[in-house]
């Protein structure tokens, strides 16, 4: 809940600065990523703390893969503005752990009849996320909101060498996405092909066959 999330900041400080040993810290963090988190005012802080806890490149790939897969699954039920946050976070985790590219394109290929990932597993290392794939993000490439569809295409392109800045999207709202879509669509709308030179209808225009001004 909210109290646990607020306490995580202090726990991280104790671990980082005072070498505190906190058992099952990643299991606790993993359990906080539920659909309800997108509707709380502490959502941005959770992503900020998760980014700090998962910043080390020495974490086991199976552990990080579980967070990647859980975030990918949550994008199917998250609000539009939170989908972009999840996508950027997933991209950053894959950049830190290049071995997780197997979730995008498995080195041995092949097809599976079902997703081996266990969403309800409390232990992230036992969720079989490392054997799964990011089919959820591939599905988002056909999302109705252009900004989300574009963000989801990062798995189809070479990954950048520099991570995405999460602070730029943590404060994005639904209104921001709507305004962005309106600005893009309005630029593509043309009211006339030829630039008008006067306020009168040009001579020979076919509209004169159907309209008479005077």
């Amino acid at each position: 809940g909210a109290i646990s999330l607020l306490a995580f900041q202090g726990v991280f400080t104790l671990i980082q600065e005072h070498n505190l040993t906190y058992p099952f810290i990643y299991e606790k963090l993993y359990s906080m990523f539920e659909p309800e988190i997108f509707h709380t005012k502490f959502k941005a802080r959770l992503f900020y703390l998760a980014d700090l806890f998962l910043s080390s490149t020495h974490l086991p790939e199976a552990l990080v893969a579980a967070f990647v897969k859980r975030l990918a699954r949550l994008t199917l039920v998250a609000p539009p503005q939170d989908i972009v946050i999840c996508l950027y976070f997933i991209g950053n985790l894959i950049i830190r752990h290049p071995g997780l590219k197997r979730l995008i394109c498995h080195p041995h290929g092949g097809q599976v009849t079902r997703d081996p990932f266990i969403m309800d597993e409390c232990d992230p290392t036992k969720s079989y996320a490392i054997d799964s794939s990011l089919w959820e993000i591939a599905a988002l490439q056909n999302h109705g909101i252009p900004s989300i569809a574009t963000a989801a295409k990062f798995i189809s392109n070479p990954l950048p060498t520099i991570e995405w800045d999460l602070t730029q999207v943590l404060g994005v709202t639904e209104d921001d996405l709507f305004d962005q879509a309106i600005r893009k669509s309005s630029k593509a709308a043309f009211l006339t092909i030829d630039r008008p030179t006067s306020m009168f209808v040009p001579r020979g225009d076919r509209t004169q066959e159907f309209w008479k001004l005077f």
Side-chain angles (χ1 to χ4, degrees):
I3 297 178
S4 300
L5 180 57
L6 293 174
F8 246 69
Q9 180 73 58
V11 172
F12 178 78
T13 302
L14 292 174
I15 294 175
Q16 185 181 42
E17 299 181 4
H18 303 282
N19 297 322
L20 173 70
T21 301
Y22 190 96
F24 307 110
I25 183 67
Y26 287 100
E27 287 81 352
K28 181 62 177 177
L29 179 63
Y30 184 75
S31 65
M32 289 186 176
F33 282 98
E34 295 287 345
E36 294 78 12
I37 193 62
F38 298 117
H39 306 286
T40 65
K41 60 181 179 180
F42 302 110
K43 171 193 63 180
R45 179 168 295 189
L46 174 61
F47 279 95
Y48 171 75
L49 292 176
D51 190 38
L52 291 177
F53 274 98
L54 298 173
S55 59
S56 175
T57 57
H58 300 287
L59 293 173
E61 285 188 352
L63 174 66
V64 183
F67 280 91
V68 168
K69 184 62 180 179
R70 193 175 186 90
L71 287 168
R73 187 64 61 84
L74 289 177
T75 58
L76 300 179
V77 296
Q81 68 274 14
D82 297 325
I83 295 178
V84 179
I85 300 175
C86 293
L87 291 176
Y88 282 179
F89 194 14
I90 290 172
N92 289 346
L93 292 177
I94 296 177
I95 292 174
R96 296 172 195 172
H97 301 270
L100 295 182
K101 291 180 181 179
R102 61 183 292 152
L103 299 176
I104 301 176
C105 183
H106 198 280
H108 302 297
Q111 296 181 352
V112 295
T113 57
R114 64 180 182 86
D115 191 343
F117 175 67
I118 304 176
M119 183 70 174
D120 298 330
E121 175 59 50
C122 298
D123 187 348
T125 59
K126 297 179 181 179
S127 63
Y128 295 99
I130 197 67
D131 299 324
S132 183
S133 64
L134 297 178
W135 59 266
E136 298 92 345
I137 300 181
L140 288 176
Q141 293 180 354
N142 298 317
H143 199 279
I145 299 179
S147 59
I148 295 178
T150 301
K153 291 180 180 179
F154 80 90
I155 63 172
S156 302
N157 302 316
L159 292 175
T161 56
I162 301 177
E163 296 182 5
W164 285 279
D165 186 4
L166 287 181
T167 59
Q168 295 183 355
V169 293
L170 285 177
V172 175
T173 63
E174 289 182 340
D175 293 336
D176 296 330
L177 293 179
F178 179 80
D179 294 339
Q180 184 180 5
I182 289 297
R183 286 195 298 268
K184 287 185 177 180
S185 60
S186 62
K187 292 180 180 179
F190 298 95
L191 300 180
T192 180
I193 299 178
D194 299 324
R195 185 181 182 88
T197 57
S198 66
M199 61 179 295
F200 301 103
V201 178
R203 183 180 297 275
D205 192 277
R206 291 188 58 86
T207 56
Q208 295 181 354
E209 299 179 8
F210 308 99
W211 296 90
K212 186 175 181 181
L213 299 180
F214 54 84

